[in-house]
Amino acid sequence: MRAFTSIGLGRSEMKKVFGILAVLFLPSVAQGQDVDSYIELLRADVGAQKVAILGQAMTLSEDEASVFWPIQREYEVELAKLYDERVALIKAYTEAYESMSDEKAEELTEWLLRLERQRTDLKERYFERFAEDVSPTVAARFLQIENQINMLIDLQISASL
């Protein structure tokens, strides 16, 4: 709630924001689409494409690749945990949508903001690790590509849900 009040949004405006977001994903939930199944399909598709994109865009030497790819796989494991929690947040929101109280709206908002902070913290940790173990240039290149891919994933999830 603090984040919304600092930009001038009160409780009623916060509910409107949640209402707008609901339009993005309630129709598919109402049609009985299994959110978990969809997310797993999206992950499998994006995961394979992401490795291919990174492989082409990173232009790593053999030595860099031997260090980069194991770290990148560790990053993906941690990122997947955050996406699992994001799915849980979406489910919690859809379950509470019809009878959402101000308290529930605050709880869900805080959860969302915490997830965003965790994703930013994850990127910062791995940027430092890539910079130290491979090079700052490789780390910066990875982070730029990762940000673009994450924006596309976020957009695809929002559009599909």
Side-chain angles (χ1 to χ4, degrees):
M1 180 64 178
R2 288 182 292 266
F4 284 96
T5 56
S6 68
I7 59 170
L9 292 180
R11 291 179 192 271
S12 63
E13 288 87 0
M14 186 168 48
K15 282 187 176 181
K16 287 178 189 173
V17 169
F18 273 113
I20 292 167
L21 292 175
V23 170
L24 294 174
F25 57 83
L26 276 181
S28 64
V29 173
Q31 293 170 5
Q33 227 176 4
D34 183 359
V35 174
D36 287 329
S37 296
Y38 173 75
I39 295 297
E40 286 309 312
L41 287 172
L42 177 62
R43 276 189 188 157
D45 185 42
V46 169
Q49 291 178 26
K50 186 175 186 179
V51 169
I53 291 167
L54 285 170
Q56 282 189 326
M58 293 299 296
T59 60
L60 300 169
S61 70
E62 284 185 42
D63 289 340
E64 290 172 330
S66 69
V67 177
F68 174 83
W69 288 110
I71 297 170
Q72 192 275 337
R73 284 189 291 274
E74 290 175 27
Y75 169 83
E76 288 300 322
V77 168
E78 290 192 51
L79 185 63
K81 292 175 188 173
L82 293 177
Y83 277 115
D84 289 343
E85 193 169 348
R86 184 172 175 196
V87 169
L89 172 61
I90 291 169
K91 286 180 178 181
Y93 178 75
T94 58
E95 290 169 7
Y97 179 74
E98 291 296 323
S99 60
M100 188 176 309
S101 66
D102 290 342
E103 292 77 19
K104 188 65 172 182
E106 286 182 21
E107 175 189 328
L108 294 173
T109 299
E110 289 299 322
W111 189 0
L112 172 67
L113 295 173
R114 180 177 50 78
L115 283 174
E116 287 300 314
R117 284 189 299 271
Q118 287 175 329
R119 187 160 78 166
T120 298
D121 291 347
L122 179 68
K123 288 190 282 188
E124 286 177 1
R125 278 196 332 272
Y126 276 86
F127 172 81
E128 291 170 9
R129 190 160 169 209
F130 282 123
E132 184 177 313
D133 292 354
V134 186
S135 77
T137 302
V138 167
R141 194 177 311 137
F142 169 74
L143 192 58
Q144 290 300 318
I145 296 166
E146 179 67 12
N147 281 337
Q148 296 302 313
I149 292 170
N150 283 334
M151 284 191 291
L152 291 172
I153 292 169
D154 290 346
L155 180 61
Q156 190 171 359
I157 290 171
S158 294
S160 298
L161 297 177

